[in-house]
Amino acid sequence: MSDVAARVKKIVVEHLGVEEDKVVENASFIDDLGADSLDTVELVMAFEEEFGIEIPDDAAETIQSFGDAVKFISEAA
Amino acid sequence: MFDLTGKSALVTGASGGIGGEIAKALHAAGANVGLSGTRVEPLEALAAELGERAFVLPCNLGDADAVKELPKQAIEAMGGLDILVNNAGITKDQIFMRMSDEEWQQVIDVNLTSAMRLCRAVMRPMMKARWGRIINISSVVGATGNAGQVNYAASKAGMVGMTKSIAYEVASRGITANAVAPGFIATAMTDKLNDDQKEAINKQIPASRMGSPAEIAAAVLYLASDEAGYVTGSTLHVNGGMAML
């Protein structure tokens, strides 16, 4: 697993309180990991802080799954 | 009783009678206070009176860019932003048939839209802190309506709906959003009324008097406190019984 993926996974596990093995490529934050819409905003805020990037609102809306987040951050960071 | 030591509060309209008193009450409870308003002189006089932990942050709330910058300036000055008091408001009274689009829009922009923008801007720091207090100063006329104040009453009723909706969204994050709805409050504005006018007003009020700015400030202080953590989405009416809502 890439460094980015490991760091993203750590944030997701901590924030949503889910088991690490549930956080897989296609895991949807809302449908699979129990996040509500406010959680997804907070996850994006946490990603921004962790990676020192800015994720604009329209991009944030496309980040629905763990895989989406890793892909977006890998390209942006 | 209410201790706000270490908390930072931004008060808009702090150059006015009610806003100034709100700032004083929060400051007396130990908070850092950011004093915002359009008139710099009264803000500086108030800051001088308060001494430490008071910061002057002038802002024209009709200017969207300036509104965007205000929370950033407040955080820079105070090191955080835990309490937002949207107190600033204007009136452009006119009988409805003669009310222009401009009179409507200016009141909505300053009273409602700028309050919305400030609420939105403070969400992020409050969500991170898992603590926040939003207190929007509405008005009794937002609930009762008032002749000549279609624009003002709409803006103040709008604040209540906005406050409740924000309260729903962020209650789970330790952030409360409430409104305070003053009735007739004795300020520089009501000083201009003659005795007959004042008497006519007092007749409508079971308490037979106008309220004081300090009585509004006390309501705000309560809603800003830790003790009010379970109060959210409510409107606290402070009106001497004029409208029992």
Side-chain angles (χ1 to χ4, degrees):
Chain A
M1 191 186 296
S2 72
D3 171 54
V4 167
R7 285 156 73 191
V8 169
K9 180 176 274 193
K10 187 162 176 286
I11 290 171
V12 173
V13 166
E14 276 175 12
H15 191 89
L16 299 179
V18 291
E19 297 294 326
E20 211 167 301
D21 57 10
K22 294 267 190 342
V23 187
V24 294
E25 172 83 19
N26 292 324
S28 155
F29 294 131
I30 291 177
D31 296 332
D32 301 318
L33 302 176
D36 63 18
S37 53
L38 209 51
D39 287 320
T40 63
V41 172
E42 287 187 311
L43 281 173
V44 166
M45 279 164 53
F47 298 152
E48 287 179 329
E49 208 157 287
E50 171 73 18
F51 295 97
I53 55 172
E54 199 160 313
I55 305 176
D57 287 343
D58 53 346
E61 280 168 22
T62 67
I63 302 175
Q64 305 279 346
S65 68
F66 172 65
D68 292 340
V70 173
K71 183 163 176 286
F72 183 90
I73 293 163
S74 300
E75 285 165 8
Chain B
M1 175 174 189
F2 302 123
D3 184 9
L4 299 179
T5 305
K7 298 280 196 274
S8 294
L10 173 63
V11 181
T12 68
S15 51
I18 295 176
E21 210 57 47
I22 291 169
K24 283 183 201 170
L26 298 178
H27 187 267
N32 303 316
V33 290
L35 310 171
S36 188
T38 45
R39 293 174 293 139
V40 178
E41 245 173 68
L43 294 177
E44 283 184 342
L46 179 58
E49 186 188 330
L50 295 177
E52 283 178 10
R53 296 185 283 107
F55 305 87
V56 174
L57 303 165
C59 181
N60 172 7
L61 294 179
D63 177 349
D65 292 331
V67 172
K68 201 174 169 191
E69 289 304 310
L70 180 59
K72 293 180 196 165
Q73 292 163 350
I75 289 168
E76 210 163 285
M78 299 187 285
L81 188 42
D82 311 290
I83 301 161
L84 170 65
V85 184
N86 279 307
N87 164 73
I90 59 168
T91 55
K92 299 266 176 208
D93 295 358
Q94 176 67 276
I95 60 164
F96 183 47
M97 290 176 71
R98 296 225 172 92
M99 185 170 287
S100 68
D101 283 6
E102 288 73 27
E103 285 163 338
W104 167 268
Q105 199 61 50
Q106 283 175 9
V107 169
I108 296 293
D109 283 350
V110 173
N111 296 6
L112 185 58
T113 307
S114 78
M116 177 280 291
R117 289 192 174 118
L118 290 176
C119 287
R120 190 174 57 192
V122 301
M123 284 291 107
R124 186 180 275 252
M126 288 181 182
M127 294 255 286
K128 276 192 187 167
R130 286 286 189 272
W131 198 95
R133 295 286 183 265
I134 290 172
I135 300 147
N136 292 323
I137 308 301
S138 179
S139 164
V140 64
V141 308
T144 62
N146 195 21
Q149 295 199 304
V150 165
N151 47 5
Y152 184 76
S155 75
K156 293 300 182 180
M159 283 181 110
V160 171
M162 175 178 81
T163 304
K164 290 178 180 178
S165 303
I166 293 170
Y168 261 111
E169 285 198 16
V170 295
S172 63
R173 268 49 173 191
I175 303 168
T176 69
N178 292 287
V180 172
F184 277 108
I185 304 301
T187 61
M189 207 162 70
T190 54
D191 282 346
K192 287 180 200 151
L193 301 171
N194 64 37
D195 286 348
D196 286 348
Q197 287 172 313
K198 283 184 190 166
E199 205 188 307
I201 287 170
N202 289 345
K203 270 190 188 147
Q204 306 169 40
I205 307 171
S208 299
R209 65 171 179 88
M210 290 193 197
S212 69
E215 287 169 322
I216 302 305
V220 173
L221 174 61
Y222 167 63
L223 292 172
S225 71
D226 264 326
E227 285 81 351
Y230 201 54
V231 179
T232 194
S234 75
T235 302
L236 185 43
H237 290 273
V238 184
N239 62 28
M242 178 184 162
M244 303 193 190
L245 301 159

